[in-house]
Amino acid sequence: LSHSKFSEWLISLLLDIPWIDVMAQVWKLVRHIWQGLADEGLYEVLEYESTLELQDKKGQLASFQKRELVRYRQNNIIAYQDHAWGDGNILLDYQCSHGVVVDRYRPGHKTILLISLRETKRRGDVDEFNISWMLNKSIVRANEMWETEVRHKTKQLEVRIIFPADRPPRRAWIEEHLRRRKMLLGPETVRRLLDSRWQLSWLNEKPRLNERYQLHWEW
């Protein structure tokens, strides 16, 4: 082939390739990879369970405990982030079974705590965090709410509220903040404990990432 005919053949071949389709597939692949990296996160929560205990019938004093079983999804992780919110005095006598609190700040209505792990974690390592704190004058209204925000990929979460023996919950429901959904909780979610107190429990085996689950009750 002469140089001119070869050029014409090459141009014709290139024009026959569906470039728009090729570029669309490349863009989908790049976007999929980028979203995968963005959603990877520092760790995933294998189990999350929390208990808010109302220690008197006026709600003046309460305690909060939670357990998180986490698996790290990246290498070289040296810190863990905790957060809390609420009215009144919160985060009193804050305790964490793993690591040391090195910083805290309050962007808006939440308090963020940065916990130094005092060691370097690798992808696949698993840690259990047992965290507790006290609240003063935080649960004093007849209609109250406790929020759990899913900030990391979570496989399962359970929320429990313990009420005094002489002031059980009269009605309870779950609200999903982002989806604008409300679900009334039935009587099977409340049981009497051996010490005559009342326990309200809610279990979610497929919590949605970034959702804020608000457990409301009247008592």
Side-chain angles (χ1 to χ4, degrees):
L1 293 176
S2 66
H3 179 73
S4 61
K5 288 187 177 295
F6 177 78
S7 298
E8 292 176 0
W9 173 80
L10 181 60
I11 292 173
S12 176
L13 177 63
L14 293 175
L15 290 176
D16 286 340
I17 297 176
W19 286 106
I20 294 178
D21 293 341
V22 172
M23 293 306 296
Q25 293 300 321
V26 171
W27 168 247
K28 288 181 180 179
L29 178 60
V30 171
R31 186 175 61 179
H32 178 74
I33 294 174
W34 177 259
Q35 289 177 341
L37 291 175
D39 293 340
E40 177 77 4
L42 296 179
Y43 60 84
E44 63 178 332
V45 180
L46 304 178
E47 298 175 9
Y48 177 99
E49 56 184 40
S50 67
T51 302
L52 175 67
E53 182 179 338
L54 311 178
Q55 299 189 2
D56 62 88
K57 65 179 182 180
K58 293 184 179 181
Q60 294 288 322
L61 189 63
S63 62
F64 178 72
Q65 299 177 353
K66 68 176 177 179
R67 183 183 73 90
E68 287 192 68
L69 186 66
V70 306
R71 179 165 58 205
Y72 299 100
R73 299 168 65 89
Q74 297 182 24
N75 290 326
N76 303 315
I77 304 300
I78 61 173
Y80 168 86
Q81 184 174 283
D82 192 17
H83 66 281
W85 67 275
D87 300 325
N89 299 315
I90 65 171
L91 292 172
L92 303 175
D93 191 25
Y94 182 91
Q95 302 287 333
C96 181
S97 65
H98 199 67
V100 178
V101 178
V102 293
D103 190 21
R104 68 168 67 186
Y105 60 98
R106 189 176 177 87
H109 69 287
K110 293 181 182 177
T111 300
I112 306 298
L113 300 99
L114 184 65
I115 300 172
S116 171
L117 299 176
R118 290 293 193 259
E119 58 183 322
T120 302
K121 298 296 182 178
R122 297 183 56 81
R123 181 185 180 95
D125 288 347
V126 175
D127 267 337
E128 180 175 295
F129 292 87
N130 291 279
I131 296 172
S132 66
W133 67 78
M134 301 295 295
L135 306 90
N136 186 26
K137 298 181 180 179
S138 296
I139 317 289
V140 296
R141 295 182 292 267
N143 187 329
E144 278 289 359
M145 179 262 289
W146 188 259
E147 180 178 284
T148 303
E149 182 177 2
V150 181
R151 301 174 59 124
H152 300 273
K153 183 178 179 181
T154 302
K155 294 183 178 295
Q156 173 182 299
L157 72 85
E158 183 174 10
V159 181
R160 294 183 291 266
I161 313 289
I162 297 180
F163 296 83
D166 52 355
R167 195 177 178 186
R170 295 188 289 109
R171 192 166 73 101
W173 63 96
I174 288 288
E175 288 189 7
E176 298 178 4
H177 179 77
L178 295 181
R179 302 179 74 184
R180 304 296 181 187
R181 297 201 316 180
K182 177 179 177 179
M183 179 180 65
L184 188 67
L185 299 181
E188 71 280 358
T189 60
V190 179
R191 69 184 182 92
R192 197 82 183 259
L193 301 178
L194 294 178
D195 60 5
S196 296
R197 294 183 300 167
W198 303 87
Q199 178 176 284
L200 169 65
S201 301
W202 178 69
L203 175 67
N204 188 331
E205 295 183 328
K206 292 184 178 181
R208 295 169 59 89
L209 184 62
N210 298 319
E211 184 59 88
R212 291 161 53 188
Y213 295 99
Q214 299 173 343
L215 176 53
H216 294 256
W217 68 88
E218 295 176 357
W219 65 322

